Amino acid sequence: MVKLTEEMKSALTGLLFLATSSKDGIPNVAPMGANQFVGDKLVISDNFMKKTLENVKENPVVAINLLNCREHPYQYKGKAEIVTSGEYFEKAKELNAVKIPGINAKGALVITITSIYSIKPGAEAGNLIETDD
């Protein structure tokens, strides 16, 4: 299992950009703002997802990046699962009630982070930092 620092976890609960791809390799990147960790899983509320869900159904591999990459110079890769019931869905609904009242979660993406890469400018760019393999 990939070891995320508390700083990494905290950064991933703010605005992030989630990249997905269809089975044919057509990419999609979407901003996500209703995110939280439940244990070691990143849970993202599904409020308006369309293309993201279509892609995850075809190809569960995702990449995550943050807007503020100078302070947080990492790219995360992982596997996503769509849930519409159970603990993670309930957590998504609770988060929405706090972060975006009036918007009901349709479901949630549950992401297991499988690797972390450096995106720090310079010689470290692209280096694998952590993997679960």
Side-chain angles (χ1 to χ4, degrees):
M1 177 170 51
V2 171
K3 294 179 182 81
L4 296 161
T5 66
E6 288 305 313
E7 176 189 351
M8 290 172 172
K9 283 185 172 184
S10 177
L12 286 168
T13 61
L15 180 65
L16 60 83
F17 295 91
L18 181 67
T20 61
S21 177
S22 70
K23 66 181 178 192
D24 298 323
I26 308 295
N28 182 64
V29 177
M32 303 289 164
N35 325 310
Q36 65 183 313
F37 271 90
V38 178
D40 62 347
K41 306 287 187 186
L42 177 62
V43 177
I44 301 175
S45 296
D46 169 14
N47 302 318
F48 309 108
M49 295 179 195
K50 181 179 177 187
K51 192 59 169 166
T52 298
L53 294 180
E54 291 172 9
N55 284 352
V56 168
K57 287 175 184 174
E58 294 180 0
N59 176 7
V61 177
V62 300
I64 299 169
N65 217 343
L66 301 170
L67 181 61
N68 190 352
C69 58
R70 289 195 187 274
E71 287 184 31
H72 193 78
Y74 308 107
Q75 180 190 66
Y76 304 89
K77 300 216 175 159
K79 293 205 174 172
E81 173 187 359
I82 301 166
V83 299
T84 55
S85 64
E87 174 190 11
Y88 297 120
F89 178 51
E90 294 303 317
K91 293 291 185 182
K93 291 193 301 189
E94 291 171 14
L95 179 63
N96 274 19
V98 172
K99 272 193 144 175
I100 43 178
I103 303 294
N104 296 317
K106 300 181 297 180
L109 285 183
V110 180
I111 299 175
T112 302
I113 305 295
T114 56
S115 55
I116 304 169
Y117 290 85
S118 173
I119 58 169
K120 186 175 182 179
E124 296 177 30
N127 286 354
L128 178 65
I129 295 172
E130 179 84 31
T131 184
D132 68 354
D133 294 335

